[in-house]
Amino acid sequence: MVKRCLFLLLFLCCLAGSRIASADTNPQDAAALRSLMKKWKKTVPASWRKSNDPCVRWDGVICDRNSRVTSLNLFGMNLKGTLSDDIGSLTELRILDLSSNKDLGGTLPATIGKLVQLEILALIGCSFSGNVPKELGNLSQLNFLALNSNQFTGIIPPSLGKLSKVTWLDLADNQLIGPIPNSRDHGAGFDQLLKAQHFHLNQNKLQGSVPDYLFNSSMELKHILFDRNNFSGSIPASIGVLSKLEVLRLNDNAFTGQVPAMNNLTMLHVLMLSNNKLTGLMPNLTGIGALENVDLSNNSFVPSEVPSWFSELPKLTTLTMQSVSLSGQLPQKLFSFPDLQHVILSDNQLNETLDMGNNISKQLNLVDIQNNKIASVTLYNNLKGNILKLTGNPLCNDSVLSSTTPCTGQLSEYPTQPPLLPDVQCANPFVETIVFRAPFFGDAANYLHILHYNLSSKLNSCTPNNLGLVYSNPDAYLNVDIKACPVNQKRFNYSQVLNCFNLTLQTYKPPEIFGPYYVKAHPYPFHDKASRTVLIGVVTGCFLLVIGLTLVGVYAVRQKKRAQKLVSINDPFASWGSMGQDIGEAPKINSARCFTLEDLKLSTSDFREINAIGAGGYGTVYRGKLPDGQLIAIKRSKQGSMQGGLEFKTEIELLSRVHHKNLVGLVGFCFEKGERMLVYEFIPNGTLSEALYGIKGVQLDWSRRLKIALDSARGLAYLHDHANPPIIHRDVKSTNILLDERMTAKVADFGLSLLVSDSEEGQFCTNVKGTLGYLDPEYYMTQQLTAKSDVYSFGVVLLELIVAQPPIYKQKYIVREVKTALDMGDQMHCGLKDVMDPVLQKTGDLRGFARFLKLALQCVEDLGTDRPSMNTIVREIEVIMQDNGIRTGMSSTSSSFSIDSRTMMAAPKYPYSNASASSTAFDMDSRAFEYSGKFPSEGSLKNRGT
Ligand SMILES: *[C@@H]1O[C@H](CO)[C@@H](O)[C@H](O)[C@H]1NC(C)=O
Ligand SMILES: *[C@@H]1O[C@H](CO)[C@@H](O)[C@H](O)[C@H]1NC(C)=O
Ligand SMILES: *[C@@H]1O[C@H](CO)[C@@H](O)[C@H](O)[C@H]1NC(C)=O
Ligand SMILES: *[C@@H]1O[C@H](CO)[C@@H](O)[C@H](O)[C@H]1NC(C)=O
Ligand SMILES: *[C@@H]1O[C@H](CO)[C@@H](O)[C@H](O)[C@H]1NC(C)=O
């Protein structure tokens, strides 16, 4: 045995030493890659050094059927060195992304022009220097060209004008000089790039004028970033014909003359012309209704009164016009625009009374009118603290006023503190910075949690619930660091980084308001320090292997036995045959049935797409029908998804023990051939979120909403107080509350549940899990999970019942919105009208509403100890319903856990006081839910089984 091992080993060692030619890869391409590797030496991914077959084994290399390399993606790999001329031999290359390799530099070889199939070229954030090679103009298929954040010098080669397919052109943040090439003066130029949507030339040393014929109405331009260059001459009038333009940044140049008419730019969100030498009349922005972020500061416009468009741009978030000789009075209307955050008008001649009115934007957090001529101001009580700056106005000469904050300027440093964002801690986080170059807003505070939400879902498969955001504003742009922690491993490997964090190529679409962005990754420690030479490695490896294998040989038999034992410990199901004979060995799982894979395949027509009714991180939910006619929902875990054998077993044990009419019941499970499936009762009427604001457009009246609140509260109260051991749900949300044919609510999905008895004192440390928008802030800050975290999430659901919007919607967070709305109204609920579901407002009769609202707000108190228990919530909702003549179906909480579901019906007397019997009311409803009748033949049916 040992002898044979040794022989094999020697053979392997020889093989490794003698570097035979690559097995499959096209020889020309393999040679080119090896030449690249020679320049990058040891900094290539480990797989490049271990294998001779690029197409099959090398990280970042993708080939086609003919073994030609089509994609080379080495984003963020810490490559050091230069780019070999031989890159030009990869003639089938379509994607080349070497971005975020800070030590990759030198000149960009002209041979890159030979890559005639290239569609994507991204070299963002490397150290390339020298000229941009004119040969790039030969890349006729190129669609995405990003050379930004390097050290390129010289002019922009006019040949780039030949890139007729280019949509993304980014040369920003280099040292480029000279003009923007145009076909009249330079033979070829940017005026020919009719497909381009992005001209990003910011942060260079470009100069000269921008000729009028650079733009024409057949262009598709969305983003023009020319800021921070040395452009002069007037702004071309032809910009006014770019009807798709969304962002125009010309700030920090030397533009002169009058600003041309832009009234036709109806899609323009961001207009920044500050720090130029513009003259003539102040631009008339009337009609550009989409404008959100405007900065015209520091120009030499003709002194003017406050223009009328100040009160005609309802989407404004930020209006900045420092030092432009404005006089007169600011309209109250400006301050009432709902999204307004910043008004910065310092160093002007505003001389009338400042009166912002009584209806100011709830978002407003900075009004800077320093150094104007304001002699009086009207202030209202509801003006938030430190938002107004008036230092340097005549009114501050008044001895009394001058001691108040608006005059002393002793405000908090800048208007808002960076928002509290989820942070994560681990030894080897992957960090990358997203640079937003023209956000539509001035103050990121209210938007970053939306970004976090959005990114978390994009990156969820790579770093589930393990994403932090850090925010900084070091230059003119908004920088946001993403910090991602690996799960169940020490660090990310090469392919994870390549597949998860390659946001370079703009495949990630942040919420629109964040505007154009680019990404740079920070160097990542892929290895521990030790990096010996290959030879030493091979020799040592062989030596150690010989010893190791000898030991293996000697102890083989013993180990085999032990291994068998181990398997049975690690995998509780290992001994469960597919025929289910051994089922008795799992005594904790008694009422759940063990299905075979075959059973479930039959019931779902072999898991056909049409039977899929929901999907999530864990996998897919299918509906099915058992031979006896029972309808079921099958939760099928993705192969290799997060849920491990243990988690799966936990869930089965939990669910099979828990029986309550307001909890979705487990019918059985299947654990076979690597498949993990849970089989639930089928709940026909979909989720609460669908009923509230989903595709269905169902209108739930007030009494039914109360009833749904009560049902789900009872389900949760049972989990907390009556299940043995108690269970914290951990993912309470409206998509986990299902509605059955009688509109009884049932709480679903215990995938994240943990047994409380696993810990002492009902409190334990664990990785924060849950869904953003519902997550208890105390929990994610302290990582201490208690039943009160469920209460918080449930409070969010109660608010959803009032607002009928997801917890994070239109850049707003429901909890904050409702709280702010209440603060604003002088009377209770007056302010709430803005955020409340119009359907509820229409029906009018909202008995018990005030008490319900109070309860919801108690649930979302910051401190867990200030929140009521689920049991208290149940009682309170019961009282609310009873006091208002709505039947609760049960008189007392304690009895509510044993009674059969069929006795459970709400008879909504109000507002249907005429409804003679409860059954009538429900008959009416079932017509509203007609789709449920078509089951199971109709594919349109939706029900999230879990
Ligand atoms: C590539 O570009 C260079 C310079 O722009 C040009 O001289 C050359 O003819 C081009 N080659 C091909 C094959 O088009
Ligand atoms: C704006 O559009 C209208 C109609 O399309 C056109 O007549 C007018 O000349 C345009 N104005 C400018 C400044 O381009
Ligand atoms: C600004 O433009 C609008 C519409 O184009 C026009 O009605 C208005 O009179 C203009 N205002 C000034 C001050 O020129
Ligand atoms: C403000 O300035 C304008 C123009 O300079 C002048 O006509 C007006 O009377 C001034 N208003 C006050 C209140 O001083
Ligand atoms: C980037 O990552 C996505 C997965 O998020 C993957 O589908 C795509 O192929 C990757 N792109 C490249 C160029 O590797």
Side-chain angles (χ1 to χ4, degrees):
M1 171 89 176
V2 175
K3 240 188 214 169
R4 216 197 294 164
C5 282
L6 257 174
F7 177 76
L8 191 73
L9 201 75
L10 283 174
F11 176 73
L12 282 174
C13 286
C14 293
L15 208 69
S18 73
R19 298 219 156 215
I20 50 169
S22 48
D24 271 333
T25 312
N26 167 289
Q28 175 187 333
D29 287 357
L33 288 173
R34 255 183 253 117
S35 169
L36 292 176
M37 177 158 80
K38 213 165 160 191
K39 300 269 188 194
W40 297 336
K41 304 211 176 71
K42 286 184 297 190
T43 63
V44 294
S47 58
W48 286 43
R49 284 178 290 149
K50 281 189 201 139
S51 158
N52 276 311
D53 191 356
C55 276
V56 181
R57 305 220 181 273
W58 288 15
D59 282 315
V61 176
I62 297 176
C63 301
D64 63 10
R65 282 194 192 160
N66 305 321
S67 297
R68 297 296 314 266
V69 177
T70 55
S71 169
L72 187 57
N73 176 17
L74 294 170
F75 154 84
M77 296 282 102
N78 305 345
L79 296 176
K80 284 192 173 65
T82 58
L83 193 56
S84 160
D85 281 350
D86 292 329
I87 185 93
S89 305
L90 298 172
T91 48
E92 285 295 317
L93 205 57
R94 285 173 167 74
I95 300 176
L96 177 59
D97 182 0
L98 303 177
S99 301
S100 292
N101 288 292
K102 253 182 23 203
D103 297 313
L104 181 62
T107 55
L108 190 57
T111 52
I112 206 151
K114 293 192 197 161
L115 305 179
V116 290
Q117 304 290 342
L118 205 61
E119 289 160 22
I120 292 175
L121 175 58
L123 304 175
I124 304 165
C126 300
S127 297
F128 288 103
S129 53
N131 289 336
V132 174
K134 58 183 182 305
E135 287 76 8
L136 284 181
N138 291 351
L139 304 179
S140 59
Q141 301 301 312
L142 204 63
N143 159 319
F144 184 97
L145 175 61
L147 304 180
N148 47 304
S149 300
N150 281 284
Q151 284 127 43
F152 286 111
T153 51
I155 60 159
I156 301 176
S159 62
L160 296 192
K162 294 193 288 176
L163 302 174
S164 59
K165 289 194 174 167
V166 105
T167 60
W168 183 279
L169 181 61
D170 198 334
L171 304 176
D173 193 11
N174 280 292
Q175 321 273 331
L176 298 170
I177 55 166
I180 301 176
N182 69 74
S183 60
R184 286 201 206 175
D185 301 331
H186 310 104
F190 283 17
D191 50 319
Q192 297 166 303
L193 302 177
L194 299 183
K195 290 268 166 63
Q197 297 178 352
H198 305 266
F199 279 176
H200 299 174
L201 305 178
N202 43 305
Q203 285 179 280
N204 276 292
K205 295 173 177 167
L206 299 169
Q207 66 229 81
S209 60
V210 179
D212 206 44
Y213 45 84
L214 194 66
F215 305 110
N216 61 66
S217 56
S218 39
M219 291 176 116
E220 309 265 315
L221 282 167
K222 280 162 74 172
H223 298 157
I224 295 181
L225 307 180
F226 287 178
D227 48 302
R228 301 210 256 166
N229 278 289
N230 298 321
F231 289 118
S232 53
S234 51
I235 299 174
S238 53
I239 279 187
V241 304
L242 300 171
S243 58
K244 304 209 166 128
L245 200 62
E246 293 172 10
V247 171
L248 179 59
R249 290 199 69 160
L250 304 178
N251 52 291
D252 297 274
N253 278 291
F255 283 110
T256 54
Q258 167 118 26
V259 177
M262 297 187 180
N263 315 58
N264 281 1
L265 302 182
T266 49
M267 319 258 275
L268 196 65
H269 295 283
V270 178
L271 176 63
M272 298 202 168
L273 305 178
S274 51
N275 303 322
N276 278 292
K277 295 171 181 162
L278 297 166
T279 54
L281 295 177
M282 196 160 297
N284 180 357
L285 305 183
T286 305
I288 318 183
L291 270 181
E292 296 182 45
N293 193 348
V294 175
D295 189 351
L296 305 178
S297 301
N298 301 318
N299 280 295
S300 312
F301 300 125
V302 175
S304 105
E305 295 255 315
V306 167
S308 59
W309 54 262
F310 269 38
S311 42
E312 290 166 9
L313 302 177
K315 298 238 171 111
L316 273 183
T317 64
T318 300
L319 177 61
T320 312
M321 290 176 72
Q322 292 175 296
S323 194
V324 288
S325 310
L326 273 181
S327 61
Q329 182 158 32
L330 294 173
Q332 291 188 356
K333 185 132 185 234
L334 170 66
F335 298 97
S336 73
F337 294 144
D339 298 319
L340 194 71
Q341 299 177 324
H342 293 177
V343 175
I344 303 172
L345 301 172
S346 50
D347 302 296
N348 280 296
Q349 314 289 322
L350 299 168
N351 60 348
E352 305 278 346
T353 300
L354 175 66
D355 182 352
M356 298 193 279
N358 202 1
N359 180 28
I360 60 171
S361 157
K362 293 162 198 166
Q363 312 274 345
L364 194 63
N365 57 36
L366 176 63
V367 178
D368 181 351
I369 312 191
Q370 296 181 85
N371 304 320
N372 275 278
K373 302 234 149 39
I374 289 174
S376 69
V377 59
T378 313
L379 291 178
Y380 299 86
N381 289 337
N382 60 356
L383 190 65
K384 269 188 287 175
N386 295 335
I387 66 172
L388 187 58
K389 291 184 169 194
L390 284 173
T391 315
N393 280 282
L395 69 84
C396 293
N397 300 338
D398 179 297
S399 57
V400 179
L401 270 173
S402 60
S403 64
T404 68
T405 32
C407 282
T408 54
Q410 303 278 319
L411 309 179
S412 53
E413 219 357 70
Y414 208 60
T416 37
Q417 294 299 315
L420 181 68
L421 286 167
D423 194 10
V424 288
Q425 299 296 336
C426 55
N428 299 301
F430 187 86
V431 181
E432 63 187 335
T433 304
I434 311 191
V435 182
F436 295 103
R437 290 146 150 182
F440 298 179
F441 45 77
D443 177 1
N446 284 348
Y447 301 105
L448 286 176
H449 64 272
I450 300 161
L451 184 69
H452 184 265
Y453 185 74
N454 192 288
L455 269 168
S456 301
S457 46
K458 158 92 184 168
L459 299 178
N460 194 44
S461 58
C462 303
T463 172
N465 293 305
N466 236 344
L467 186 75
L469 284 192
V470 186
Y471 133 104
S472 60
N473 229 346
D475 54 20
Y477 309 132
L478 169 67
N479 289 18
V480 179
D481 286 353
I482 312 178
K483 191 170 156 197
C485 279
V487 173
N488 298 331
Q489 64 192 102
K490 201 168 157 208
R491 45 165 65 89
F492 292 107
N493 60 30
Y494 288 103
S495 74
Q496 282 170 322
V497 166
L498 290 176
N499 288 314
C500 295
F501 304 111
N502 63 354
L503 309 184
T504 340
L505 305 182
Q506 305 287 322
T507 47
Y508 167 59
K509 298 263 173 277
E512 197 203 4
I513 41 166
F514 282 85
Y517 76 95
Y518 75 96
V519 173
K520 41 184 188 189
H522 299 210
Y524 190 69
F526 286 106
H527 306 286
D528 293 319
K529 263 203 234 142
S531 183
R532 309 268 174 270
T533 68
V534 175
L535 188 64
I536 294 179
V538 168
V539 171
T540 324
C542 284
F543 180 69
L544 289 178
L545 265 172
V546 169
I547 295 178
L549 273 184
T550 313
L551 291 176
V552 167
V554 172
Y555 291 110
V557 181
R558 220 183 283 178
Q559 283 199 336
K560 195 179 169 192
K561 270 189 193 157
R562 204 193 282 169
Q564 274 168 346
K565 225 188 250 169
L566 266 177
V567 165
S568 65
I569 292 170
N570 283 341
D571 182 354
F573 301 97
S575 61
W576 290 14
S578 54
M579 316 313 271
Q581 321 99 313
D582 289 338
I583 194 80
E585 282 189 21
K588 282 185 186 165
I589 304 174
N590 28 34
S591 68
R593 187 171 149 194
C594 177
F595 290 95
T596 65
L597 191 54
E598 202 51 33
D599 291 339
L600 298 184
K601 271 186 177 167
L602 267 175
S603 80
T604 56
S605 322
D606 210 3
F607 296 107
R608 272 181 45 201
E609 195 94 333
I610 195 167
N611 288 321
I613 50 177
Y618 53 84
T620 312
V621 178
Y622 296 85
R623 71 196 147 120
K625 193 175 188 179
L626 295 177
D628 66 2
Q630 186 184 1
L631 302 179
I632 50 176
I634 302 168
K635 177 176 159 185
R636 184 192 200 190
S637 297
K638 241 185 258 172
Q639 304 274 346
S641 82
M642 286 298 297
Q643 196 179 42
L646 256 175
E647 242 172 314
F648 183 67
K649 186 166 175 263
T650 308
E651 185 160 2
I652 297 176
E653 283 178 5
L654 274 174
L655 285 172
S656 65
R657 233 184 1 247
V658 164
H659 294 284
H660 186 263
K661 69 182 181 328
N662 296 122
L663 295 172
V664 173
L666 183 75
V667 178
F669 60 92
C670 170
F671 188 85
E672 195 181 312
K673 302 205 177 101
E675 293 271 10
R676 283 164 196 161
M677 288 182 256
L678 290 171
V679 181
Y680 297 91
E681 58 177 326
F682 183 83
I683 312 291
N685 270 337
T687 70
L688 173 58
S689 76
E690 282 167 354
L692 271 177
Y693 45 77
I695 356 141
K696 304 282 166 54
V698 175
Q699 299 197 343
L700 296 172
D701 66 40
W702 176 238
S703 55
R704 184 146 306 113
R705 290 185 203 202
L706 286 176
K707 178 60 175 31
I708 289 170
L710 178 61
D711 286 344
S712 27
R714 281 174 170 162
L716 289 170
Y718 176 87
L719 289 179
H720 288 182
D721 297 327
H722 297 262
N724 181 24
I727 295 164
I728 297 176
H729 186 293
R730 294 222 285 179
D731 200 14
V732 177
K733 55 183 174 183
S734 56
T735 49
N736 272 342
I737 294 175
L738 306 183
L739 302 175
D740 75 1
E741 64 285 351
R742 298 183 166 195
M743 299 302 283
T744 301
K746 290 174 181 260
V747 178
D749 203 345
F750 299 81
L752 298 176
S753 300
L754 280 186
L755 296 172
V756 170
S757 67
D758 288 352
S759 75
E760 288 154 31
E761 297 163 27
Q763 230 185 44
F764 44 94
C765 267
T766 163
N767 278 334
V768 173
K769 290 180 180 173
T771 303
L772 273 151
Y774 295 92
L775 210 50
D776 168 16
E778 190 178 57
Y779 168 41
Y780 75 61
M781 278 185 286
T782 62
Q783 305 218 338
Q784 296 297 310
L785 181 67
T786 69
K788 293 297 179 69
S789 300
D790 279 354
V791 172
Y792 185 93
S793 312
F794 187 69
V796 175
V797 173
L798 294 183
L799 293 177
E800 270 181 276
L801 286 168
I802 294 173
V803 176
Q805 294 284 359
I808 293 177
Y809 68 102
K810 287 196 201 144
Q811 308 132 36
K812 291 167 179 163
Y813 178 41
I814 195 169
V815 174
R816 183 167 23 203
E817 283 307 301
V818 172
K819 282 183 179 167
T820 329
L822 286 175
D823 288 347
M824 297 303 290
D826 349 343
Q827 274 170 278
M828 184 78 164
H829 328 316
C830 258
L832 197 62
K833 282 218 172 88
D834 296 345
V835 295
M836 206 168 133
D837 184 5
V839 173
L840 284 185
Q841 296 189 37
K842 244 182 279 159
T843 59
D845 193 350
L846 301 177
R847 312 224 160 183
F849 180 81
R851 231 169 130 172
F852 183 82
L853 179 64
K854 191 171 157 219
L855 177 66
L857 290 172
Q858 280 168 355
C859 294
V860 294
E861 282 288 350
D862 290 336
L863 295 177
T865 48
D866 294 343
R867 301 174 202 150
S869 71
M870 278 322 299
N871 244 328
T872 312
I873 295 169
V874 169
R875 275 197 302 275
E876 177 68 12
I877 302 177
E878 282 175 351
V879 171
I880 291 172
M881 292 174 76
Q882 279 157 4
D883 283 1
N884 292 288
I886 305 167
R887 265 172 56 187
T888 61
M890 224 66 66
S891 52
S892 83
T893 324
S894 49
S895 66
S896 64
F897 300 110
S898 53
I899 295 180
D900 181 87
S901 65
R902 241 137 299 183
T903 65
M904 176 66 204
M905 277 205 325
K909 280 191 196 144
Y910 298 96
Y912 304 125
S913 46
N914 290 338
S916 52
S918 56
S919 57
T920 325
F922 276 109
D923 285 345
M924 283 163 57
D925 296 332
S926 53
R927 242 168 293 141
F929 287 92
E930 232 168 34
Y931 54 88
S932 65
K934 293 180 188 159
F935 182 85
S937 57
E938 265 291 320
S940 64
L941 187 102
K942 282 245 162 153
N943 171 38
R944 302 266 153 74
T946 56

